[in-house]
Amino acid sequence: MVLYALDDIDDAIDVTRGLLTPVDRTVWVKLAVVAFFIGGPGAGFNGFQYTFGGNGGTGGPPPGGVVTPDLGFPVWALIAAIVGVVLLIALAFALVGSIMEFVFVESLRSEEVTIRRYWGRRWRQGVRLFGFRVLIGFVVLGTAALTAGFGVLFFDRIDPGAVAALVLVLLPVFLVLALVVGLVNGFTTVFVVPLMILEDCGVLAGWRRLWPTVTAHWEQYLAYAVVSFFLSIVGGVLVAIAVGVLALLLLVPFGVLFGIAVALLVFVSEPVGIGALVVVGVLFGLAVLAVAALVQVPVQAYLRYYALLVLGDVDPEFDLIPDQRAAVREPPSESASSG
């Protein structure tokens, strides 16, 4: 049996080369903007950690009580405002990233990168994808929150041995949940999004179109999941190395600017020097982000082309890139071979 996940590794390289060469600065910059949102920094949530009192010493909380610092309403209000702002920024980033998924696939499909046109055409589907991702996120966070809440409420009432046994039981459950959620989210991004574009439908309708092929050719999709996992690791390592090297090179010009800022701090004015250091630091961070986005372009394009090739091989009705596929697979012409 032919596994398309193995056969398409080299073809994806050729298709990606066809898109990115010869180097077009405008194409790379536009793709870098898209890649920043679909493969850029993610957002995470850190829960508050509580300390449980283990004794009833003087001035301490009752046994099993929770130590809650008395910071006052203004401080808690400020903390809540900061958390709210961070959450809104993370949601806005995720929303833009969901729409950019469609912009990216459309760009790869047509080999014409036009962010504004594809955004206007696909933003509604992007919002649906965003809602689907948020729903999945709530399932995971809700499960973790319920488990954590159970532990907080009954921590001092359960025997330590029972707690250890419960952890051993729940750990495989969480691992399976993480695997399933990861597969659903990953397949939605690389397979359902193209079907949403092809069928002009929503997320659930796209899954209804994809699911029969998953059940009929499960070995092909399993092979893709395994191979793409390792390809993503290799791609991530290459991106990290390239960004690290380029960041070191950026330290040369920015080192001079940092030196000037330090000189202002020492010899001119402390506020001026601190302001200069902040500005230079922000500019350096933006430069590193820009470099990271540019470096991600070939990796993101390759991984997405790879998924599109596998999808079209499993079911030709789902082929979004027939021209690119034919270009890298058609045999050489008779004139070329005779020459």
Side-chain angles (χ1 to χ4, degrees), residues 12-22 111 305 324 328:
I13 295 176
D14 295 333
V15 175
T16 305
R17 185 185 299 116
L19 173 70
L20 299 179
T21 57
E111 295 186 311
Y305 267 135
Q324 294 94 319
V328 299

Side-chain angles (χ1 to χ4, degrees), residues 162-193:
V163 173
L166 183 62
V167 171
L168 291 177
V169 172
L170 290 179
L171 184 59
V173 175
F174 279 118
L175 290 177
V176 172
L177 177 63
L179 178 62
V180 172
V181 170
L183 286 175
V184 170
N185 187 52
F187 277 29
T188 300
T189 300
V190 299
F191 294 138
V192 174
V193 166

Side-chain angles (χ1 to χ4, degrees), residues 220-337:
Q220 299 288 353
Y221 288 97
L222 177 61
Y224 166 81
V226 174
V227 176
S228 65
F229 173 75
F230 289 102
L231 290 177
S232 299
I233 292 177
V234 173
V237 171
L238 293 177
V239 169
I241 293 174
V243 172
V245 172
L246 294 175
L248 291 176
L249 294 177
L250 286 174
L251 283 177
V252 176
F254 278 97
V256 176
L257 295 178
F258 274 116
I260 295 174
V262 171
L264 292 175
L265 177 66
V266 175
F267 299 106
V268 178
S269 170
E270 182 175 340
V272 172
I274 293 176
L277 286 172
V278 171
V279 170
V280 174
V282 170
L283 291 177
F284 178 74
L286 293 176
V288 172
L289 287 178
V291 166
L294 286 169
V295 170
Q296 282 190 87
V297 167
V299 174
Q300 292 288 346
Y302 170 81
L303 292 175
R304 199 59 56 91
Y305 267 135
Y306 173 65
L308 292 174
L309 288 170
V310 172
L311 179 64
D313 281 334
V314 174
D315 192 332
E317 292 184 4
F318 298 159
D319 190 6
L320 270 73
I321 52 172
D323 295 336
Q324 294 94 319
R325 184 189 308 273
V328 299
R329 291 181 178 177
E330 64 182 5
S333 61
E334 294 182 2
S335 59
S337 59

Side-chain angles (χ1 to χ4, degrees), residues 4 211-223 313-315:
Y4 301 124
W211 186 248
T213 67
V214 174
T215 56
H217 306 284
W218 60 268
E219 67 282 354
Q220 299 288 353
Y221 288 97
L222 177 61
D313 281 334
V314 174
D315 192 332

Side-chain angles (χ1 to χ4, degrees), residues 18 48 94 98 100 109 118 124 132 140 145 171-172 177 208 211 213 238 247 305 314:
F48 292 101
S98 297
M100 285 296 189
R109 179 189 186 186
Y118 298 146
R124 292 177 181 84
F132 183 80
V140 176
L171 184 59
L177 177 63
R208 282 194 292 269
W211 186 248
T213 67
L238 293 177
Y305 267 135
V314 174

Side-chain angles (χ1 to χ4, degrees), residues 72-131:
F73 177 77
V75 176
W76 285 114
L78 178 61
I79 293 175
I82 294 174
V83 172
V85 170
V86 172
L87 181 60
L88 287 177
I89 293 175
L91 289 175
F93 192 96
L95 174 60
V96 174
S98 297
I99 301 174
M100 285 296 189
E101 295 285 359
F102 294 88
V103 174
F104 193 50
V105 175
E106 286 276 31
S107 299
L108 299 182
R109 179 189 186 186
S110 64
E111 295 186 311
E112 180 183 357
V113 187
T114 307
I115 296 177
R116 182 182 302 177
R117 183 197 308 168
Y118 298 146
W119 180 287
R121 184 185 302 172
R122 300 294 178 182
W123 70 267
R124 292 177 181 84
Q125 292 175 304
V127 172
R128 295 178 183 178
L129 177 62
F130 169 74

